[in-house]
Amino acid sequence: MHGKRVGQWNGERTYLLCVHCHNPHSPRFKPIKPLPPPQRPSEMKR
Amino acid sequence: MSQDPPCTGACSGETAPDPSRRTVVQFLAAGAAVASTGCSLESFFRKSFRELSPAQVRRYIAELEGRYGRKYGKTVTVGTAGPMEGVKFGYGLDLSRCVGCRRCVYACAEENNQSRKNPQIHWIRVLEMDKARGVDVNHSDIYYDAAEVPRPGHFYMPVQCQQCDDPPCVKTCPVGATWKEKDGIVAIDYDWCIGCRCCMAACPTEPGTSTGPSRTSPPPK
């Protein structure tokens, strides 16, 4: 389990970064397609 | 556990009627008052809000536990623990990890069942910024439509309620619909909000949404 905190926020917790297991330079994180941008106010109809 | 409602002048000095009957009479009287004023039962109860006494809380919790226990066939415990002493919640964000994919924006809308369109309400907006400028909100872009992120030369900052220590929205609200809890959470009561948008104008992070009815929210799953 890496890349996030697990356990209790006010008790015992484990915080492992991605780089605790992975080499951050190879392979690189792949770019991903973002979800659509928000509507502009002019595009919204009441 | 039962608790008699407060005695009114009508019963002073007389034999107290059956509590359940008296409650029914009071309820019918309230209904008649609502009908005569023309307002809905829901709005009547909003205006007649009062805080529950500890005994009433215990009674309602016992009712809920019994109801849920019968529904699920298990022993259910309903907690009433309040904010913890000495705990203050804050807001944290690791800019070095964000790649601007907007997954959090849509996950938040789904989790909180926000309006999807007309109006589209997003409680999180992701700002795209130039690395050359650094953190410069005035030159940020929330409408970026890239084929892939992160785009070279840019970094991203998701913006939502920052749970300010001294929130401007609380200062500017004319009806007290926004307040700061003792444990650090900034709260809004939709029923008190009159929709003036003063909080939106005062907010330094421009949340870009106002409270209001969610018109196009799908039904809960």
Side-chain angles (χ1 to χ4, degrees):
Chain A
M1 185 66 72
H2 53 233
K4 64 178 182 181
R5 294 171 174 86
V6 292
Q8 304 295 319
W9 68 270
N10 59 347
E12 187 177 347
R13 59 182 162 179
T14 305
Y15 184 20
L16 290 176
L17 294 170
C18 304
V19 296
H20 277 101
C21 306
H22 295 279
N23 182 341
H25 302 290
S26 178
R28 296 177 64 86
F29 289 113
K30 292 179 182 176
I32 55 176
K33 181 172 177 54
L35 293 179
Q39 286 180 338
R40 294 176 187 271
S42 59
E43 298 169 345
M44 294 191 205
K45 289 178 289 186
R46 287 276 180 178
Chain B
M1 182 187 311
S2 66
Q3 184 187 32
D4 286 352
C7 186
T8 60
C11 64
S12 60
E14 299 174 8
T15 304
D18 177 24
S20 61
R21 186 171 139 243
R22 195 187 326 165
T23 305
V24 170
V25 170
Q26 286 180 341
F27 183 78
L28 291 177
V34 169
S36 64
T37 56
C39 63
S40 70
L41 201 60
E42 188 178 6
S43 63
F44 169 78
F45 280 121
R46 283 178 186 166
K47 290 177 181 174
S48 305
F49 171 83
R50 60 175 181 174
E51 198 163 348
L52 296 175
S53 68
Q56 287 174 313
V57 170
R58 285 195 295 273
R59 192 174 68 199
Y60 289 130
I61 291 299
E63 285 180 12
L64 290 174
E65 288 178 338
R67 187 189 309 168
Y68 296 145
R70 288 189 296 275
K71 182 176 181 180
Y72 297 106
K74 294 182 178 178
T75 303
V76 176
T77 303
V78 178
T80 57
M84 284 177 281
E85 288 292 327
V87 172
K88 191 170 187 179
F89 291 100
Y91 173 78
L93 180 67
D94 189 345
L95 282 186
S96 68
R97 294 190 182 196
C98 180
V99 295
C101 69
R102 293 201 185 98
R103 300 298 196 267
C104 60
V105 175
Y106 288 87
C108 175
E110 185 169 340
E111 172 67 20
N112 295 296
N113 206 22
Q114 291 298 296
S115 179
R116 307 297 198 270
K117 57 181 179 180
N118 299 328
Q120 182 192 55
I121 294 180
H122 285 168
W123 280 349
I124 306 177
R125 303 198 302 175
V126 183
L127 309 183
E128 185 183 61
M129 301 194 200
D130 292 334
K131 284 186 177 176
R133 285 184 177 274
V135 177
D136 186 348
V137 176
N138 290 331
H139 289 87
S140 64
D141 180 17
I142 65 166
Y143 299 110
Y144 63 92
D145 194 10
E148 288 184 332
V149 288
R151 293 202 294 178
H154 294 84
F155 68 99
Y156 302 85
M157 184 168 80
V159 172
Q160 61 180 65
C161 176
Q162 307 284 304
Q163 310 293 330
C164 298
D165 221 14
D166 189 15
C169 57
V170 171
K171 292 180 186 173
T172 193
C173 182
V175 294
T178 308
W179 68 93
K180 179 88 171 171
E181 293 280 1
K182 288 179 182 175
D183 58 0
I185 301 297
V186 177
I188 300 175
D189 190 310
Y190 296 155
D191 291 336
W192 292 350
C193 174
I194 58 174
C196 69
R197 299 184 180 172
C198 289
C199 54
M200 288 174 63
C203 180
T205 57
E206 298 184 31
T209 58
S210 69
T211 58
S214 297
R215 294 190 176 82
T216 58
S217 299
K221 294 175 183 175

